[in-house]
Amino acid sequence: MTMEKIYAFIFVLNCFLNIHPGARAIGINYGLNGDDLPSPSDAISLLQSRNISKVRLFEPNTAVLTALKDSSIDVILGTENQNLQSFASDPSAATSWVNTNVVPYASSLNFEYIAVGNEVIPGDLAQYVPSAMQNIDAALFAAGFAIPVSHAVSMSVMGPSFPPSNGVFSTEATPIMTEILKFLSSKNSSLLVNAYTWFPRQSEPNNVQLEYALIDDAAKPVIDNSLIYQNLFDAMVDTVYAGMEKVGVSNVDIVVAETGWPTAGSTDATIENAQKFNNNLIKLLASGKGTPRKPGKVVEAYIFALFNENLKPEGVEQNWGLFYPNMTEVYHVDF
């Protein structure tokens, strides 16, 4: 079987899995910016005990990847932003990265995506993303793996986009996003999007209802022509879909690579609100409803984050975890 046929088979298989409402739709981000975190083996055991079958790693870590072997946990593995320029300009750098961080683990670990960089569009590093993705993809192909590559974008790639049907990429982001999306389309891969309802609520509290941001059924809906939005999460996802369609791409799915709610450090950052958001998110995705723009298409999402991380800046940044470093719950989430 050629690698192109393997890519096509994976795409069809993913479509089949998406027939089942909520199937394997929730994962978690596992960050390592703490000096008091449990061992990787204990962290992976915690994931298994909570039936969490998907994890995102921001960068390779030998101990974590080793602990994930034979765990039946799917992995999004990220590359560090500092490597984007070398990946783009030197295919051998991409090959070396794949040989070091993928090849030793792929026989006993399912890499769902390789995320080539995180949140660099717009910005100085954005110019390197398309070529870096292509070279990592070629290195995976040469090593015999049909692992999709992608890039994780924040909502800052969007221009003024209310309501969701008006979604459009910013002038600065449009050329790079168009190139990335056409590449993803050719490879049957997905776009990774970091979509936090927390940030619009914080920046525009007078215009964004708390209930709307928390995916609460009590929220006043937003009407967008014939579409009705009951929550901001769906609206953010569909905003990006609308932007994709405006650059001529309609066959690339969105995976929400980060979303969540903090428990301390700012207005509305409470344990109660975080628990509401994440449990409501899981309920929404498990329903299999999809979004108003893409009804019936299950959205895959990764909650940020597994642990509170004490080496991040003080305040909100240290308070996104579902668990304390001693592995006790900050609050309960029904995975």
Side-chain angles (χ1 to χ4, degrees):
M1 180 181 290
T2 66
M3 294 302 292
E4 288 82 0
K5 289 182 178 178
I6 292 173
Y7 276 121
F9 172 76
I10 290 173
F11 175 71
V12 172
L13 179 60
N14 285 336
C15 291
F16 171 77
L17 289 174
N18 279 342
I19 292 172
H20 303 279
R24 300 167 62 80
I26 282 286
I28 200 160
N29 285 267
Y30 178 9
L32 297 170
N33 289 321
D35 60 12
D36 56 354
L37 298 176
S39 69
S41 59
D42 286 342
I44 301 311
S45 294
L46 175 63
L47 295 179
Q48 292 173 312
S49 72
R50 296 303 310 275
N51 297 315
I52 300 171
S53 62
K54 292 177 178 288
V55 68
R56 180 188 178 204
L57 307 177
F58 292 93
E59 60 194 43
N61 179 284
T62 300
V64 175
L65 290 169
T66 300
L68 281 163
K69 282 186 171 183
D70 300 313
S71 66
S72 299
I73 294 174
D74 296 339
V75 178
I76 295 178
L77 178 62
T79 73
E80 294 178 283
N81 290 340
Q82 66 193 39
N83 293 328
L84 288 171
Q85 185 173 0
S86 63
F87 291 161
S89 61
D90 183 3
S92 68
T95 297
S96 177
W97 189 92
V98 167
N99 287 340
T100 300
N101 300 301
V102 176
V103 172
Y105 307 100
S107 64
S108 54
L109 179 57
N110 180 47
F111 290 105
E112 189 165 6
Y113 297 96
I114 302 298
V116 183
N118 182 58
E119 294 190 345
V120 301
I121 306 170
D124 293 341
L125 293 175
Q127 60 184 310
Y128 303 116
V129 173
S131 294
M133 291 174 63
Q134 291 165 21
N135 285 339
I136 290 288
D137 179 71
L140 291 166
F141 186 98
F145 301 115
I147 302 170
V149 301
S150 190
H151 174 73
V153 299
S154 71
M155 294 298 293
S156 63
V157 299
M158 306 305 298
S161 298
F162 181 85
S165 62
N166 287 338
V168 61
F169 295 118
S170 70
T171 301
E172 184 178 0
T174 293
I176 293 292
M177 289 303 301
T178 302
E179 189 173 356
I180 287 172
L181 287 165
K182 288 184 177 178
F183 174 77
L184 295 177
S185 175
S186 73
K187 297 293 183 178
N188 294 319
S189 188
S190 301
L191 178 67
L192 306 180
V193 178
N194 300 338
Y196 292 90
T197 65
W198 157 262
F199 290 114
R201 167 64 184 174
Q202 287 301 290
S203 63
E204 298 186 67
N206 292 330
N207 295 323
V208 179
Q209 311 164 63
L210 178 61
E211 293 81 7
Y212 191 63
L214 292 175
I215 319 179
D216 191 319
D217 289 342
K220 180 181 178 181
V222 169
I223 309 301
D224 182 5
N225 298 316
S226 63
L227 303 179
I228 300 174
Y229 286 89
Q230 193 66 46
N231 66 79
L232 183 54
F233 179 84
D234 281 348
M236 293 175 79
V237 172
D238 277 358
T239 295
V240 182
Y241 273 128
M244 291 163 59
E245 291 169 11
K246 289 182 177 66
V247 297
V249 177
S250 59
N251 64 336
V252 171
D253 289 345
I254 289 172
V255 170
V256 177
E258 292 178 36
T259 191
W261 199 279
T263 55
S266 185
T267 305
D268 295 329
T270 67
I271 289 176
E272 179 183 8
N273 284 343
Q275 185 174 31
K276 281 182 180 178
F277 174 82
N278 284 315
N279 279 302
N280 287 343
L281 173 70
I282 292 170
K283 181 180 176 182
L284 174 70
L285 301 187
S287 73
K289 292 178 181 177
T291 66
R293 195 177 192 91
K294 299 280 187 176
K297 181 178 287 294
V298 175
V299 178
E300 182 178 323
Y302 289 72
I303 292 172
F304 188 88
L306 182 56
F307 297 113
N308 283 342
E309 299 169 59
N310 67 353
L311 296 182
K312 289 192 168 187
E314 292 186 8
V316 170
E317 288 296 313
Q318 294 187 357
N319 293 285
W320 291 84
L322 302 189
F323 296 89
Y324 296 107
N326 66 5
M327 298 198 296
T328 59
E329 291 182 333
V330 179
Y331 54 90
H332 184 71
V333 172
D334 295 315
F335 283 99

